[in-house]
Amino acid sequence: MALEFGLSYQPEELYDVVIIGAGPAGTTAAIYTARGGLKTVVLYRAEGDGALGVTQKIENYPGVPGPVSGFELLQIMRDQAKSFGAEFVRGKVIATDFSDEVKKVFTIDGREFRGRSVIVASGAMERTNKFKGEEEFLGRGVSYCGVCDAAFFKDQPVAVIGEDDYAIEEAEFISRFASRVYFLVPGSRIKARDELVEDLRSRENIEILTRHRVLEIMGDQAVKGIRVKDVEGGSEKEIPLNGVFVFLGGTKPSVDFLMGQVEMTGDYCIVVNEEMMTSVPGVFAAGDVLCISIKQAVIAAADGCKAALAVDKFLSGKKKITSQW
């Protein structure tokens, strides 16, 4: 039975493969599928998204003399995939429908991407722990999407909790509506490109608070404020505001958009066979969503290569995987 999402999506063209995630696994997969003549689109959340995107220094990636930042390495890989014809489209994936031969992937802005196959390479950056009051006030002041909800907080103070490119980009969008944005960073620095951080600092209505940990989101019928702790000094204070946007990462596989359609372990790790195919024919997975014990960019890239070659076998009806050189 086809899934219904309650929105009027406008289907885009049919791709041979839709890749979810533009980290080393997804981008490597795109290099191979595009080079193999398959019409490929890669959907990604932010330019510097994922574990590699926020890594400051890489020196051990084969063939790329370091040091380079994770973001720079990603750009090299993406440019290579684009040179073979792969399309990279920014869009946060929120839902999928694998019930038919043609797979459907939906982004938060209402677009639908259709593919004869899908590779899930969305990484493992979701949070497992919630702030006190976060679930209670979800939809009543707590949000995970600035594009969706920023307009509801016009001329009101809000908090943005995060520390990477994605959080910065969302905060800057939210600042167009909110009277003031408190950008709360749990650690001592923002894990993003220098130019993005400088642009964030230049916004008059954005106040950056590093080393500040959220203790509680407070309110009654809706959010009224947050209680935070200055990790360095140890003091606590309450900040009156009306909205809290959470963009922190974690270590849980980013697979909520799969909606239970493929087999997973109890820890939300995707189960695949030796050819990287999930329990749904035509749907493959690669990288940290598999919960491999060694988290290295080169291993995720190898997974992406295997998934791409398996996609080629699946779509062409070959009896065995054909190597590319």
Side-chain angles (χ1 to χ4, degrees):
M1 180 181 295
L3 301 178
E4 297 294 337
F5 298 99
L7 292 174
S8 298
Y9 292 99
Q10 297 299 317
E12 305 289 342
E13 55 191 306
L14 179 64
Y15 291 91
D16 291 314
V17 55
V18 177
I19 300 174
I20 304 172
T27 304
T28 300
I31 291 172
Y32 277 81
T33 57
R35 185 171 181 268
L38 299 179
K39 187 172 180 58
T40 301
V41 64
V42 183
L43 304 177
Y44 66 98
R45 192 178 66 163
E47 292 293 340
D49 202 17
L52 182 60
V54 299
T55 302
Q56 290 294 103
K57 186 169 69 172
I58 302 290
E59 294 183 310
N60 58 357
Y61 195 87
V64 183
V68 297
S69 69
F71 178 78
E72 289 171 327
L73 180 56
L74 278 180
Q75 288 303 110
I76 293 170
M77 298 169 70
R78 290 173 186 175
D79 287 344
Q80 186 175 0
K82 290 175 184 177
S83 73
F84 295 121
E87 298 177 39
F88 282 73
V89 177
R90 185 169 177 175
K92 181 179 179 180
V93 175
I94 59 168
T96 51
D97 181 358
F98 300 150
S99 59
D100 296 321
E101 185 175 348
V102 173
K103 316 304 180 188
K104 299 174 183 177
V105 178
F106 305 93
T107 58
I108 202 166
D109 54 4
R111 286 176 293 173
E112 174 186 320
F113 294 84
R114 300 182 301 140
R116 298 168 61 210
S117 65
V118 170
I119 297 176
V120 180
S122 46
M125 294 285 285
E126 295 298 316
R127 296 162 58 229
T128 53
N129 297 318
K130 305 289 187 180
F131 297 119
K132 182 179 180 181
E134 181 177 341
E135 292 185 340
E136 177 185 353
F137 292 108
L138 182 61
R140 295 189 291 135
V142 172
S143 173
Y144 304 122
C145 177
V147 175
C148 308
D149 297 328
F152 294 117
F153 298 94
K154 186 173 177 60
D155 299 325
Q156 300 176 53
V158 303
V160 170
I161 307 170
E163 57 187 355
D164 58 10
D165 285 40
Y166 182 54
I168 289 179
E169 291 164 2
E170 290 282 326
E172 290 178 342
F173 180 83
I174 294 165
S175 71
R176 302 176 195 175
F177 300 88
S179 60
R180 189 161 194 80
V181 175
Y182 296 94
F183 190 85
L184 301 174
V185 183
S188 60
R189 67 177 182 85
I190 303 173
K191 301 174 184 178
R193 290 169 284 153
D194 290 342
E195 60 268 28
L196 284 182
V197 176
E198 287 305 311
D199 187 50
L200 184 73
R201 295 187 187 280
S202 70
R203 307 274 174 152
E204 293 184 357
N205 67 334
I206 296 181
E207 180 179 347
I208 301 174
L209 300 172
T210 56
R211 298 185 178 91
H212 277 69
R213 182 178 303 159
V214 175
L215 301 177
E216 181 182 4
I217 300 172
M218 306 177 301
D220 40 46
Q221 298 302 310
V223 169
K224 297 297 183 183
I226 56 174
R227 184 164 59 89
V228 300
K229 180 177 182 179
D230 182 337
V231 178
E232 188 174 31
S235 61
E236 297 182 12
K237 65 179 178 181
E238 295 182 3
I239 303 176
L241 43 74
N242 301 107
V244 179
F245 291 84
V246 184
F247 302 112
L248 281 176
T251 58
K252 175 185 172 184
S254 305
V255 294
D256 288 350
F257 57 82
L258 294 176
M259 304 156 70
Q261 296 177 90
V262 303
E263 182 184 354
M264 299 182 195
T265 68
D267 296 324
Y268 301 99
C269 307
I270 299 177
V271 176
V272 296
N273 63 18
E274 66 278 3
E275 293 185 354
M276 316 304 286
M277 188 184 289
T278 70
S279 57
V280 177
V283 178
F284 302 77
D288 288 352
V289 292
L290 307 181
C291 299
I292 49 180
S293 58
I294 303 175
K295 296 185 183 296
Q296 291 285 292
V298 67
I299 294 176
D303 279 351
C305 168
K306 291 165 61 178
L309 296 178
V311 164
D312 178 64
K313 173 193 171 187
F314 174 79
L315 294 179
S316 64
K318 297 175 183 177
K319 292 185 178 181
K320 63 179 182 178
I321 289 177
T322 303
S323 298
Q324 283 187 28
W325 303 101

